Amino acid sequence: MATNTESFEDTAITPASLREALGSFPTGVAVVTTLSDDGKPIGLTVNSFNSVSLEPALVLWSLALSSPSIGAFRKHRAFAVNILRKEQEDLCMKFARPADDKFTGVNWTDGYRGIPVLDGAMVTLECEMYQIVEGGDHEVYMGTVKRIHKTDSSPLVFHRGQLVQLAS
Ligand SMILES: Cc1cc2nc3c(=O)[nH]c(=O)nc-3n(C[C@H](O)[C@H](O)[C@H](O)COP(=O)(O)O)c2cc1C
């Protein structure tokens, strides 16, 4: 073990120490969208997105149980994962706080079962809900990929609490 290693066990594993440890794992950033009961677009920034299976085509992400958007995701049972380009830091921040008007000034089109597909995302995966799994203070949403839109742009990256870009 490296000499500057800090170790934690059991009760010393607090939300803060866990968040810090997990933050060392760089991820992409996506805005996950769905539709509310009354047809309003819903969306939030996530970095919990990941691949699950190629055949069948399955992906997952997780949503905090405290999110006001939870009812819409549970009910509509379809979502789009809009993976952000390196230039879309503003969009990432806009969808990372609770607000009624997150979609104001954002261009999007109707996708699979009406879910919002954001214009200009690096890649969008339109999904049908496959399974909802309990996950502590989050709920894990696994989806079957129904449509893919992709570009060859470069991703926005989240690492140690910061938005960064890949070195070329
Ligand atoms: C880079 C980044 C990643 C995030 N990842 C998640 C995530 O995976 N799941 C989650 O529930 N919230 C995540 N959040 C926090 C939500 O974006 C934030 O709580 C937002 O307000 C949720 O939208 P809502 O309040 O309308 O539900 C993330 C925020 C940032 C900045």
Side-chain angles (χ1 to χ4, degrees):
M1 217 176 280
T3 47
N4 57 355
T5 302
E6 226 186 322
S7 304
F8 302 85
E9 221 177 290
D10 299 332
T11 53
I13 302 174
T14 60
S17 62
L18 184 59
R19 185 193 290 264
E20 199 187 330
L22 295 178
S24 66
F25 186 61
T27 65
V29 184
V31 172
V32 182
T33 54
T34 192
L35 268 194
S36 75
D37 239 4
D38 51 2
K40 204 176 127 228
I42 303 286
L44 76 149
T45 299
V46 309
N47 72 330
S48 52
F49 170 72
N50 221 319
S51 55
V52 175
S53 161
L54 295 179
E55 275 183 326
L58 296 175
V59 295
L60 67 72
W61 64 284
S62 63
L63 179 63
L65 295 180
S66 57
S67 166
S69 310
I70 201 161
F73 283 102
R74 282 178 179 165
K75 195 145 188 206
H76 196 60
R77 297 190 71 85
F79 57 83
V81 180
N82 300 275
I83 301 172
L84 300 184
R85 278 185 292 114
K86 65 177 185 190
E87 297 85 2
Q88 293 180 306
E89 210 168 300
D90 288 357
L91 213 54
C92 167
M93 297 322 295
K94 190 177 170 97
F95 281 88
R97 47 183 82 96
D100 276 342
D101 62 347
K102 288 184 192 171
F103 283 81
T104 305
V106 175
N107 293 323
W108 56 278
T109 49
D110 279 352
Y112 178 72
R113 294 189 36 223
I115 48 181
V117 172
L118 303 191
D119 287 3
M122 186 181 80
V123 170
T124 299
L125 305 172
E126 299 180 45
C127 304
E128 175 86 44
M129 190 73 81
Y130 174 77
Q131 199 175 352
I132 301 180
V133 181
E134 184 270 324
D137 57 10
H138 282 59
E139 207 159 63
V140 182
Y141 296 140
M142 215 182 293
T144 304
V145 180
K146 305 298 271 186
R147 292 183 191 153
I148 299 175
H149 312 276
K150 64 187 180 81
T151 68
D152 61 0
S153 42
S154 174
L156 189 59
V157 174
F158 191 61
H159 183 230
R160 292 198 198 285
Q162 310 267 6
L163 295 170
V164 296
Q165 297 178 11
L166 294 177
S168 52

